[in-house]
Amino acid sequence: MDTEKLQETIDRRREEFVDTLATLVAQPSISARDEGVAECAELLAQEMKDIGINSEILPTAGQPVVYGELKAEDPDAFTLLCYGHYDVQPPEPLELWESPPFEPDVRDGRMYGRGTGDNKGQLLAHVMAASAWLETAGAPPINLKFVFEGEEESGSPNLGDFVADNRDRLAADLVLISDGTMHPSGAPLISLGNRGVIGVTLKARGADRDNHSGNKGGVAPNPAWMLIHVLANTVDPSGRVLVEGFYDDVRPVTETDREIIARLPFDPVEFGATMGLPTVDMPKEEYYRKIMLEPYFNISGLLSGYTGPGSKTIIPAEAEVRIDIRTVVDQDFDDLVGKLRAHVAAIDPRVEVLVRGIGGMAPSRTPADHPSIPVIAGSVERARGREPFVNLSSGGSLPNAVWPRVLGVPHVGIPYANADENNHSPNENLDLGCFHMGIRTSAEVFAGLAEARAEGRI
Ligand SMILES: [Zn+2]
């Protein structure tokens, strides 16, 4: 598919696209305190209508979803659902902004303003690419659906229900998410998933008060020791979790995964510096496997007894440890919590397992050998002139699981923002070159998916 004319259109309309972004950024949409969100939904839906996308505002139990649809001419065309969010983080502290957060200001080729990169510029890239297709060819080469959420920055509390309630309307072959940043080197990236997280507190109680460690030492139970015994029998020194069945659902590492990891950059000293260490003390494959493909059982806080100045010779009444378990795809919240409870009860039934939050955040990952992945990678390479790095899974947690779990559709992420976009921070910005390249990339992705469908590859 020749996309030269399309890219010319995108280049010619560059300033117009920047103006549209500025209009959207100028409208505050802070979901955390319901400030301007409904107004922003109206504005976005209107902008989409103006360029010919069938758009409407769909209610949820919280902030509305701006929904849009564009059909290809071919009824059997591939259907891509583009997800983004039009709400933003609160801009405070205001005094650290060099220009007001809702008065978009272009300096040195970047637009500064809350929501430029996270996520208004990135969601607009898909919309602008669709607009360029409309102008050039009269229709996009694939069916496009747009789901722009209004409460992602508040944890997407209603996205799952929204998707479940609109399953037929949202039916698609693939979900595309553009959020977050490209590789710090400026290289393009494709992201296939994320780890999940489960927050657990283990609590041990001894007597109903602290006791004198001399007078009662040896007879009063010590909850700190209870916890230490449980912890030492839960994870071995190599980090392996000893809870029975903990790894049952972890997918094996495939040959494709290994090949993808082999192409990723790895500089032990540079990577070490990002965590305040002289180096990363493990080989590249192990490093990426551990971050992307394996769960991690983390102690994030430990609390017991007296740690102030001097000494206080007590047997503490209580001990507590905070744990966050970073899960990988197919590991299930209820299953893992149940296994952990049984494990702890078998070691010391006096230690309680308390779950923090409801349900945690689920892991999700599209297999690297999914047929649409090489198509997306090829399109990104055509737009950018260089092969993207493929991130099998980000180590952190994102609300992507809704797509495979509720809609039954795989997802892929192509972040468009510069690595120093300062999202969630003062002086959030989007490099306008990145914005422009994002539009070109989306346009090329639409073309690549259409071509692959025509050839029966997807
Ligand atoms: Zn964000």
Side-chain angles (χ1 to χ4, degrees):
M1 199 172 287
D2 184 14
T3 50
E4 205 175 312
K5 198 152 161 262
L6 184 75
Q7 300 297 3
E8 277 170 25
T9 304
I10 294 171
D11 289 349
R12 175 171 50 76
R13 295 175 62 188
R14 184 173 178 139
E15 289 312 311
E16 173 202 330
F17 294 151
V18 171
D19 289 346
T20 306
L21 173 59
T23 306
L24 200 60
V25 171
Q27 171 60 55
S29 51
I30 307 164
S31 54
R33 50 182 192 241
D34 193 14
E35 192 177 313
V37 183
E39 291 85 344
C40 191
E42 291 287 347
L43 184 65
L44 176 58
Q46 193 55 52
E47 276 174 354
M48 289 164 68
K49 276 181 201 150
D50 289 348
I51 61 167
I53 298 172
N54 296 316
S55 306
E56 53 190 307
I57 293 174
L58 301 177
T60 74
Q63 299 293 353
V65 166
V66 177
Y67 180 74
E69 257 188 53
L70 260 186
K71 282 201 186 336
E73 276 163 15
D74 176 3
D76 297 325
F78 188 90
T79 301
L80 181 70
L81 189 157
C82 301
Y83 163 86
H85 64 92
Y86 64 89
D87 66 320
V88 301
Q89 285 276 320
E92 285 76 12
L94 295 176
E95 65 277 14
L96 295 183
W97 285 79
E98 281 172 38
S99 53
F102 298 110
E103 292 173 28
D105 186 35
V106 176
R107 302 192 295 274
D108 300 327
R110 295 173 183 225
M111 185 185 288
Y112 287 82
R114 173 58 87 226
T116 46
D118 185 11
N119 176 247
K120 290 173 175 174
Q122 303 207 47
L123 70 85
L124 274 182
H126 308 312
V127 172
M128 300 315 185
S131 175
W133 267 102
L134 279 174
E135 183 191 321
T136 318
I142 54 173
N143 298 316
L144 293 170
K145 297 182 177 181
F146 302 94
V147 171
F148 298 142
E149 194 196 348
E151 47 190 3
E152 193 268 357
E153 299 293 7
S154 298
S156 302
N158 298 294
L159 184 63
D161 285 345
F162 171 79
V163 173
D165 292 345
N166 290 278
R167 258 193 206 103
D168 293 339
R169 192 201 286 259
L170 303 183
D173 296 299
L174 184 70
V175 174
L176 172 62
I177 302 143
S178 291
D179 204 349
T181 73
M182 295 185 292
H183 192 263
S185 67
L189 243 175
I190 292 179
S191 182
L192 304 188
N194 56 272
R195 287 200 284 197
V197 64
I198 298 174
V200 180
T201 297
L202 302 189
K203 198 154 190 156
R205 288 195 179 85
D208 69 355
R209 71 203 68 169
D210 292 348
N211 275 295
H212 190 291
S213 68
N215 297 343
K216 308 286 169 27
V219 291
N222 187 323
W225 278 122
M226 295 177 206
L227 267 195
I228 288 166
H229 285 135
V230 166
L231 293 172
N233 286 290
T234 299
V235 178
D236 79 9
S238 76
R240 178 129 190 117
V241 180
L242 305 171
V243 175
E244 197 177 325
F246 185 81
Y247 294 97
D248 281 359
D249 295 322
V250 176
R251 291 182 194 170
V253 180
T254 67
E255 210 32 61
T256 310
D257 296 338
R258 288 211 168 84
E259 282 164 19
I260 284 172
I261 288 175
R263 288 199 289 272
L264 293 174
F266 185 67
D267 179 332
V269 173
E270 196 184 299
F271 283 30
T274 67
M275 43 186 163
L277 290 170
T279 187
V280 174
D281 204 11
M282 61 183 77
K284 170 171 155 176
E285 187 181 304
E286 186 183 353
Y287 172 86
Y288 278 115
R289 221 181 49 223
K290 286 202 151 128
I291 283 189
M292 294 175 163
L293 305 176
E294 292 179 5
Y296 179 60
F297 194 104
N298 182 52
I299 293 177
S300 58
L302 269 170
L303 189 69
S304 189
Y306 178 79
T307 56
S311 66
K312 190 176 175 199
T313 49
I314 51 159
I315 301 166
E318 292 188 340
E320 181 178 320
V321 59
R322 300 280 173 99
I323 287 160
D324 55 274
I325 306 172
R326 295 289 168 169
T327 57
V328 293
V329 69
D330 296 340
Q331 286 191 303
D332 177 70
F333 176 88
D334 291 325
D335 178 65
L336 282 193
V337 169
K339 284 171 175 167
L340 180 65
R341 282 189 200 284
H343 176 84
V344 171
I347 299 169
D348 192 336
R350 294 171 296 180
V351 176
E352 272 182 283
V353 178
L354 308 163
V355 175
R356 302 196 307 275
I358 318 155
M361 200 178 269
S364 185
R365 181 160 70 88
T366 300
D369 51 11
H370 189 276
S372 64
I373 303 307
V375 178
I376 299 273
S379 299
V380 172
E381 185 172 355
R382 255 199 309 282
R384 298 289 312 273
R386 66 186 284 190
E387 206 185 333
F389 292 131
V390 177
N391 187 357
L392 293 168
S393 168
S394 64
S397 303
L398 294 164
N400 284 324
V402 60
W403 307 115
R405 287 194 180 190
V406 183
L407 198 58
V409 177
H411 57 85
V412 58
I414 317 176
Y416 291 155
N418 34 298
D420 55 354
E421 64 166 329
N422 288 334
N423 48 336
H424 298 207
S425 301
N427 302 308
E428 178 178 348
N429 66 88
L430 180 62
D431 183 307
L432 293 175
C434 293
F435 176 50
H436 187 67
M437 190 50 82
I439 302 169
R440 293 182 62 132
T441 304
S442 289
E444 206 65 63
V445 165
F446 302 167
L449 291 169
E451 194 173 80
R453 170 55 62 91
E455 291 168 0
R457 284 186 279 137
I458 52 173

